[in-house]
Every structure is written in structure tokens, then in C-alpha cells.
């Protein structure tokens, strides 16, 4: 593990893995009045898919991404990361694959892996099971903290960055659909034209939005960022909006990847339930002034963001409890929104 951790070193790291605590010097990074931002998460039962498929090299990227993507929505730069790997019986090669994925994710996020815990707990876990959790810390100058609720007004634009697939939410339902449809993980995914195995599609790692979104926020033109995880578009976007506005989104502005159509039809869930459970093709949302769309779009694309979508507009809130209105979802061909 030590060489893997060493590969993630960045400015600010003090010492090396092996002590009782990890050390990081925020002054070495150049922060003058920093707010510390922390986040913790796991990868839910996507772990079961990885273990059933015997594919352990990308689940660590998911772990890092789920956490650092939460940190950047505060406008913060992820600085360091710690992992927790628990198992019934430690299998060195398997654990090394997982930790290598974590180190890979940390390198992609420029976030140092400065510590962690490996726990062998027979009796609590079966010998062929392992569990993962992660903990990340970032920093942001006080004046740059997001969201800037007081600046979000009617007429602002809602931008969306595509997801790489399901990411790491809703996998209990995914596993039920696999059970119901009887499609084996090592067989071609029934919704893919390229013959990719179902396991490979489901285990596509969560996208890391750190590089592109940090560059955008440092322009001073981003009013809010929203990581679309559990709760989907419907429940996450209200977390970054003042009470005076709603998000009005047009579903014709993007096409969810084929895996979501398969999930919708296999589960029988209504469109609204799909939008509350999965990201449905949008992994990150930005709120910017409409006049700043070209500038922010250029910054995102210059920082390896392949596609930037204009999803909709911020509107004044009048009456009712609806905070996110998604129009024209019938174009996807799923069930009509449930009540």
C-alpha cells in the first residue's frame, strides 16, 4: 500500500503512511483564510457487483469520486483522502487491486492518499466479502465558498455535465433487475450495441469532476454546483437553491444512456421515481448567469470536460412545493411521472 499512497503525494503532505494519523499542511498549499470541507461516503451495493464479477480495479475510483465530487460542490479543492477496507479474510492481491483504484482516483483528483485502515473481521464479514468507506478533506478560501445563495436569481442558467453511467447509487434496485431479467454479468449487456459485458457497463467508474469544476469555480462565475447522487436531480438540486426560486429543466436537452432505459423498463418505476433514484445521465449541475454560459463552457471544455449541456433555467418560485420541474420526460419513452 505504501508505494500506492506515495504515488498520490502532492504539496502539503507531511510524512508518509504508517503513523497514527495523516498530516497535511494547508499553508504549504497557499491558503490564507481557508474553510475546511470534509465528506465521507461509500459505494453502496455496487460492491456486490464488483465482487460477483471479480473486478476490483475500478471500485476504488468510485469511492474517491463520490467523496471528492461532494467536496468540490462547496467550491473546495480536495486535499487528502483516507480509506477504510474491511473484510472477513484478507486477500492481498484483491485488496491491492482495490487500493490501486483508490490511488488512481486520488491521482485524478490531485488528492493525496495519506492514510487508512485495513480491518480483517471474520464473523462480521464472510471470507469472500469486503466493504469500503472513504473520508476526504478539502479547503476553500472563505470568500469563494459555494453555493452563493444570495446571487442565484431567476434567469440564471442550469448547466449539466454528463455522467459515465449509473455511478454508485441505486444498486440495490439494479441487482433486483438483474435477478428479474436473468441477464448474467459476464454476458453482453442487452441494451448495448457494442457487445460490452453487463458487468463492465454497470461497473463503469463514477466520473471525477474535480479538474473541470475547480477551474470553473476559480473563474468566479459559478454560483452553485450540485453533485447528482442518491436522490437524483429531483432531490439534490433543491439543496443548492434559495427558497425563492425553482429549477426548470427540459428533458429534451439530453438523452439518458441506454442503461437507464433498461433500468426503467426492467423495474417498472415511473419516470419521477427514476429521477429520484438515479442520475439519469447527469452527474454534475452548475448554476451560472446566462451571460456567463460561453465563458464557463469554454473553461470546462478546456479542462477535459467532453460535453456541457444547457439543461434549463432558474425561475421565481410562486406557490407549491415543487423545487425542480422537469418537462418533456415523455420523450424518453419511460412511464409517465408517478405521483
Amino acid at each position: 500500500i505504501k508505494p500506492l499512497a506515495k504515488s498520490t503525494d502532492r504539496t502539503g503532505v507531511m510524512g508518509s503512511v504508517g503513523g497514527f494519523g495523516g498530516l497535511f499542511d494547508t499553508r504549504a498549499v497557499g491558503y490564507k483564510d481557508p474553510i475546511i470541507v470534509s465528506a465521507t461516503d461509500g459505494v453502496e451495493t455496487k460492491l456486490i457487483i464488483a465482487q460477483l464479477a471479480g473486478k476490483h480495479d475500478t471500485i476504488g475510483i468510485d469511492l474517491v469520486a463520490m467523496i471528492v465530487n461532494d467536496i468540490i460542490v462547496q467550491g473546495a479543492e480536495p486535499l487528502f483522502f483516507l480509506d477504510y477496507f474491511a473484510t472477513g479474510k484478507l486477500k492481498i492481491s484483491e485488496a491491492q487491486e482495490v487500493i490501486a483504484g483508490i490511488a488512481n482516483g486520488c491521482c485524478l483528483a490531485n488528492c493525496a492518499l495519506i492514510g487508512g485502515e485495513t480491518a480483517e473481521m471474520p464473523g462480521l464479514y464472510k471470507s469472500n466479502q469486503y466493504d469500503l468507506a472513504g473520508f476526504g478533506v478539502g479547503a476553500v478560501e472563505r470568500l469563494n465558498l459555494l453555493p452563493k445563495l444570495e446571487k442565484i436569481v431567476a434567469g440564471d442558467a442550469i448547466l449539466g455535465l454528463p455522467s459515465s453511467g449509473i455511478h454508485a447509487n441505486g444498486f440495490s434496485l439494479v441487482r433486483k433487475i438483474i435477478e428479474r431479467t436473468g441477464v448474467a454479468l459476464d454476458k453482453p449487456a442487452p441494451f448495448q450495441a457494442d457487445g460490452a459485458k453487463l458487468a463492465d457497463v454497470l461497473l463503469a467508474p463514477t466520473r471525477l469532476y474535480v479538474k473541470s469544476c475547480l477551474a470553473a469555480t476559480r473563474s468566479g462565475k459559478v454560483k452553485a454546483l450540485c453533485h447528482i447522487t442518491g436522490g437524483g436531480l429531483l432531490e439534490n438540486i433543491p439543496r443548492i437553491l434559495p427558497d425563492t426560486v425553482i429549477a426548470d429543466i427540459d428533458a429534451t436537452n439530453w438523452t439518458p444512456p441506454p442503461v437507464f432505459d433498461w433500468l426503467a423498463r426492467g423495474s417498472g418505476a415511473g419516470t419521477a421515481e427514476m429521477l429520484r433514484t438515479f442520475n439519469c445521465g447527469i452527474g454534475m449541475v452548475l448554476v451560472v448567469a446566462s451571460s456567463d454560459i460561453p465563458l464557463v463552457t469554454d473553461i470546462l471544455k478546456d479542462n477535459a470536460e467532453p460535453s456541457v449541456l444547457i439543461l434549463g433555467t432558474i425561475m421565481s418560485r410562486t406557490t407549491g412545493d415543487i423545487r425542480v420541474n422537469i418537462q418533456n420526460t415523455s420523450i424518453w419513452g419511460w412511464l409517465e411521472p408517478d405521483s
Side-chain angles (χ1 to χ4, degrees):
I1 291 173
K2 284 186 176 180
L4 293 171
K6 184 66 176 175
S7 71
T8 71
D9 269 1
R10 56 157 295 161
T11 302
V13 173
M14 299 175 62
S16 61
V17 171
F20 287 96
L23 306 178
F24 195 94
D25 181 2
T26 54
R27 285 199 303 180
V29 187
Y31 286 97
K32 296 179 174 59
D33 185 21
I35 298 294
I36 299 300
V37 179
S38 62
T40 184
D41 209 338
V43 290
E44 297 192 359
T45 56
K46 187 172 186 176
L47 275 174
I48 296 177
I49 303 294
Q51 291 168 42
L52 287 173
K55 182 175 172 56
H56 313 287
D57 58 334
T58 60
I59 200 72
I61 298 176
D62 283 290
L63 182 67
V64 175
M66 294 299 288
I67 293 162
V68 298
N69 286 343
D70 278 353
I71 289 173
I72 60 170
V73 301
Q74 307 285 166
E77 173 189 9
L79 298 176
F80 61 85
F81 190 89
L82 299 96
D83 71 282
Y84 177 78
F85 180 96
T87 184
K89 182 174 177 59
L90 185 63
K91 299 176 182 177
I92 299 296
S93 60
E94 189 175 272
Q96 187 173 7
E97 283 189 65
V98 174
I99 304 301
I102 292 172
N104 187 9
C106 284
C107 288
L108 292 171
N110 192 27
C111 178
L113 178 60
I114 65 169
E117 168 71 2
T118 301
E120 194 171 33
M121 296 189 286
L124 184 58
Y125 295 99
K126 295 180 180 178
S127 61
N128 62 341
Q129 290 180 328
Y130 62 83
D131 196 8
L132 281 178
F135 312 88
V137 173
V140 56
E141 294 290 2
R142 189 181 302 270
L143 291 175
N144 298 330
L145 190 65
L146 296 179
K148 297 187 180 298
L149 296 178
E150 73 284 357
K151 293 188 176 181
I152 298 175
V153 296
D156 284 344
I158 304 168
L159 306 182
L161 305 181
S163 68
S164 57
I166 304 172
H167 286 183
N169 295 105
F171 271 85
S172 294
L173 179 55
V174 171
R175 290 185 298 110
K176 284 289 185 183
I177 296 168
I178 293 172
E179 181 182 320
R180 176 183 291 180
T181 59
V183 181
L185 291 172
D186 61 352
K187 298 299 181 183
F191 49 85
Q192 292 277 122
D194 59 6
K197 291 180 181 178
L198 179 61
D200 291 337
V201 177
L202 298 181
L203 292 173
T206 304
R207 285 196 63 210
L208 290 115
Y209 299 97
V210 174
K211 181 180 179 182
S212 59
C213 286
L214 270 182
T217 59
R218 286 170 174 168
S219 73
K221 300 300 184 180
V222 176
K223 300 183 180 185
L225 286 167
C226 181
H227 185 201
I228 308 302
T229 57
L233 291 162
L234 295 181
E235 294 183 6
N236 282 294
I237 292 177
R239 298 166 67 181
I240 62 163
L241 298 180
D243 291 338
T244 54
V245 300
I246 68 168
D248 188 58
I249 293 173
D250 189 343
T252 62
N253 290 328
W254 85 99
T255 301
V259 64
F260 294 106
D261 185 69
W262 180 70
L263 293 171
R265 297 178 190 280
S267 66
T271 304
E273 188 62 25
M274 284 290 295
L275 287 163
R276 277 194 296 265
T277 305
F278 300 106
N279 64 61
C280 294
I282 302 296
M284 185 69 72
V285 165
L286 302 86
V287 177
V288 304
S290 58
S291 59
D292 290 328
I293 292 174
L295 173 62
V296 174
T297 297
D298 285 345
I299 292 172
L300 291 167
K301 289 186 175 180
D302 287 345
N303 285 274
E305 194 57 54
S307 178
V308 181
L309 306 166
I310 300 175
L311 300 182
T313 308
I314 299 295
M315 299 181 66
S316 296
R317 185 180 182 186
T318 52
T319 59
D321 295 326
I322 294 176
R323 303 300 309 282
V324 181
N325 178 41
I326 303 184
Q327 306 177 47
N328 300 317
T329 54
S330 59
I331 193 172
W332 297 340
W334 301 348
L335 299 174
E336 284 303 304
D338 51 21
S339 58

